[in-house]
Every structure is written in structure tokens, then in C-alpha cells.
Amino acid sequence: MKYLTTENLPLQEPVPVLGEFLQLYYVRNPGAAFSLGSDVTWIFTIALAVVACVIVWKATGLRSRLWAVVLGCLLGGVLGNLTDRLFRDPGFPMGHVVDMISMPWMMPAIFNVADIFIVTGMISVALLVVFGLRFDGTRDRDHVAVETDEEAEAAAVDADAESSSAEAGSSRLDGTTPGAPASDGR
């Protein structure tokens, strides 16, 4: 999509697709959203590289298809913008991201497909966390009963240990047990 944009769209001129609802508007964005931080583009490059590495690290050993799809979409978006930062003008690691989608009725931002994947991926990650889906495909609620049973069993073992130590500690030095009549030594 970015290649088609750079080869076929005029720079900074709106091309209506659906009137004012959807336009193609080719810009090169040196910063983040709304061109914020255009003087520190190299920080975005480092951040994107770190995020990509973390996603790949977390994806190893995934057993949840839903998490795999969400992290794949997120990684695709991150790599799309990271590629621009690394290889587009003005050069490594300060490249400008190619943006081309504009919806002037909704917001003044111009964005690209990678941005859509990043935003959708982050919303999906938040929803998966809220609904308690783990990387192994199980849910938090599946682990609550197991943890509660283990805690109950541990509490019972602790109670038995306390009562055993209380009995052992209550025997008297004179060899009598509590409740037995004490001998006066005669």
C-alpha cells in the first residue's frame, strides 16, 4: 500500500474516494501521531524495534490462536512503520513514515494501514487481558478454583502442623502431660 502511495498519489493533495468521508492524502510523517516528536524520530525507531522484539519473544510458545492472531497483527503494524523509519528518506534511523488515509469528518489525523493494525492490536490486547485469556489459551477463571483448592490444602497442612507443635510444646519438663495431676516429688 505504501509503495502504491509513493508511486501513484500526489504529495499533500487530497484524492477523494468517498467524498469527504474518506480521502487518500499522501504525506511523509517525521513524528508519531499528529506529527508529535518530529525532532526525536530516532526514539520512535528504538521503541518500535523494542516492541517488535518483545512481541516475537512473547509469541514463542503461544498456545492460544487468538493471542497469535492479535500479536501477529500488532507485529505487522509495528514492522510496517519500523521499515519506514529504517529505510525511507531522510535516512536511517530517522525515516519518515508514509501516511495516506484521511477521514476529515472524524479527525484531522492522516494514518496508514500499519497504524490501523497497531491500534486494533492494542485494543484487542486490552480486551484479551480484561477477559482473562492467557497465552496458553486458558482463562483466569480456570485457575481460580485450582489456586483456591491449593490454598485450602496448604491451610489444612499448616493447621495440622500447628496443632502437632502445640501438643509437643505443652508437655512439661517434669514429664507430665497437661491436665494430669502434678506430683509433689514425694
Side-chain angles (χ1 to χ4, degrees):
M1 182 81 171
K2 292 181 180 188
Y3 174 77
L4 293 173
T5 298
T6 58
E7 293 297 314
N8 298 310
L9 287 179
L11 187 62
Q12 296 184 347
E13 291 182 27
V15 176
V17 176
L18 296 173
E20 288 290 316
F21 182 79
L22 176 65
Q23 298 177 349
L24 295 178
Y25 193 91
Y26 170 34
V27 296
R28 290 183 223 143
N29 184 357
F34 303 103
S35 295
L36 296 174
S38 58
D39 295 335
V40 288
T41 302
W42 60 273
I43 291 176
F44 300 123
T45 305
I46 292 170
L48 288 170
V50 168
V51 168
C53 289
V54 168
I55 292 171
V56 169
W57 172 61
K58 284 295 191 183
T60 57
L62 269 181
R63 290 192 311 229
S64 167
R65 284 189 185 142
L66 194 53
W67 269 108
V69 169
V70 168
L71 291 179
C73 289
L74 189 57
L75 182 62
V78 167
L79 291 177
N81 284 344
L82 179 60
T83 302
D84 284 353
R85 295 281 181 213
L86 295 175
F87 301 112
R88 292 209 187 267
D89 287 335
F92 180 89
M94 310 267 288
H96 295 178
V97 173
V98 172
D99 289 333
M100 78 290 291
I101 301 170
S102 175
M103 300 168 96
W105 61 273
M106 186 171 89
M107 64 179 138
I110 300 168
F111 51 94
N112 59 44
V113 176
D115 295 334
I116 295 169
F117 276 86
I118 291 170
V119 170
T120 305
M122 289 307 298
I123 291 169
S124 299
V125 165
L127 289 173
L128 290 175
V129 169
V130 166
F131 289 119
L133 184 64
R134 295 181 176 199
F135 287 141
D136 64 0
T138 61
R139 296 191 176 275
D140 285 340
R141 69 172 183 242
D142 298 337
H143 296 274
V144 171
V146 172
E147 292 169 358
T148 303
D149 290 345
E150 289 172 355
E151 289 172 357
E153 195 173 305
V157 168
D158 288 343
D160 287 344
E162 286 178 10
S163 66
S164 296
S165 67
E167 287 177 10
S170 64
S171 60
R172 295 187 181 170
L173 292 175
D174 62 1
T176 61
T177 57
S183 114
D184 58 0
R186 295 185 199 164

